[in-house]
Amino acid sequence: MRFTTEQRLDYGVLEREFTLGEIPGILWTPASASAPVPLILLGHPPLGLRKMYPRLVARARHAAAYGFAAATIELPGSGDRPRWAAAEQARADLRRALEAGEPISAEIIDALILPLVDKAVPESQAALDALLSLPEIGGPIGYSGGVISVGIRLAVVEPRIVAAGFFAGSFVPRAMFEEARQVTIPLHVLLQWDDEGNDRQAALDLFDAFGSKEKTLHANMGGHTGVPQFAGQDAAGFFARHLR
């Protein structure tokens, strides 16, 4: 891990950009922390870190207010990272189906999501290795947001993650439902009831499939981008309970 920039934000947050090999990322830590702090790994959709930055830094400030560090890395094939042909084809197929008003087939969803999960999860684990080697990061670790299938896989294979907050707002391959049954950590799941790009019943079925004994579904009226501000505060409270 190599830090490339450093700046102090308001509310006592230190922001440092880094690279992990060729993967860019950002780490936010409470500037006043005197001991190693827990970490929340922030997921995001494949729109690029620069486009997602305003939302990510807002979530990082929530984390810092509770004394937690937050970090994120660029997803494979997003931002300035190299594209790969299969993902580009899947995105093109998705756009064509949406523009034609056609249902999104299981084949398109599988091609769009499953290779991303296979690539993103090992990179996230490598990022955790590097972040936990820093003296200011001590764990435990939470995972928050992003492509829900990436979060599901991480919750299954990464024992260092002890709690997760998911946003039920992305396509989910049917194969991920079986993995969801293997998830046992505490979950906080956010659902926008009128999300125009999300199958509500599929989201409810996925929530039902999670094997966690502690799982909470927070459903709010509104579309995909209409998440109320208090929803972020609720998620921060969830992590405060499980990471302290």
Side-chain angles (χ1 to χ4, degrees):
M1 171 181 282
R2 182 173 67 89
F3 288 106
T4 56
T5 69
E6 178 177 317
Q7 64 173 329
R8 291 186 180 271
L9 308 179
D10 51 5
Y11 303 105
V13 180
L14 176 64
E15 177 184 279
R16 286 173 286 175
E17 297 187 6
F18 64 85
T19 57
L20 186 65
E22 297 181 353
I23 305 170
I26 310 174
L27 171 65
W28 297 272
T29 50
S32 59
S34 57
V37 298
L39 171 69
I40 300 177
L41 185 63
L42 302 179
H44 53 90
L47 301 175
L49 278 182
R50 294 304 161 203
K51 186 170 183 177
M52 291 302 302
Y53 176 82
R55 295 186 216 176
L56 289 166
V57 73
R59 292 159 63 193
R61 286 189 173 112
H62 273 301
Y66 282 90
F68 304 149
T72 190
I73 59 172
E74 187 72 88
L75 285 169
S78 296
D80 296 328
R81 296 191 62 184
R83 302 298 190 260
W84 79 90
E88 292 298 294
Q89 182 61 55
R91 290 173 182 171
D93 292 341
L94 175 65
R95 284 193 298 269
R96 278 196 293 270
L98 290 172
E99 290 168 359
E102 299 172 351
I104 309 304
S105 69
E107 290 76 17
I108 291 177
I109 293 174
D110 286 355
L112 185 70
I113 301 298
L114 293 177
L116 177 63
V117 172
D118 290 341
K119 289 176 178 287
V121 167
E123 291 182 353
S124 295
Q125 292 181 291
L128 291 180
D129 291 340
L131 291 162
L132 286 171
S133 72
L134 300 174
E136 61 267 39
I137 307 296
I141 298 169
Y143 177 84
S144 174
V147 178
I148 194 169
S149 294
V150 172
I152 291 170
R153 175 72 59 80
L154 273 170
V156 172
V157 304
E158 180 47 74
R160 293 174 292 187
I161 295 176
V162 302
F166 292 151
F167 179 38
S170 53
F171 297 112
V172 181
R174 295 305 303 180
M176 297 307 301
F177 280 69
E178 186 56 42
E179 294 195 36
R181 294 182 178 92
Q182 303 173 48
V183 175
T184 59
I185 60 175
L187 297 179
H188 175 103
V189 181
L190 175 64
L191 170 65
Q192 286 300 102
W193 200 249
D194 306 303
D195 191 334
E196 59 280 4
N198 188 37
D199 183 330
R200 182 197 302 163
Q201 189 57 54
L204 295 173
D205 292 343
L206 180 64
F207 179 79
D208 188 52
F210 286 125
S212 303
K213 291 182 178 179
E214 180 186 337
K215 55 180 180 179
T216 304
L217 179 67
H218 286 244
N220 297 290
M221 305 305 293
H224 188 84
T225 59
V227 179
Q229 184 175 0
F230 63 76
Q233 297 166 349
D234 291 343
F238 164 79
F239 285 114
R241 292 196 303 276
H242 292 287
L243 299 186
R244 281 182 174 158

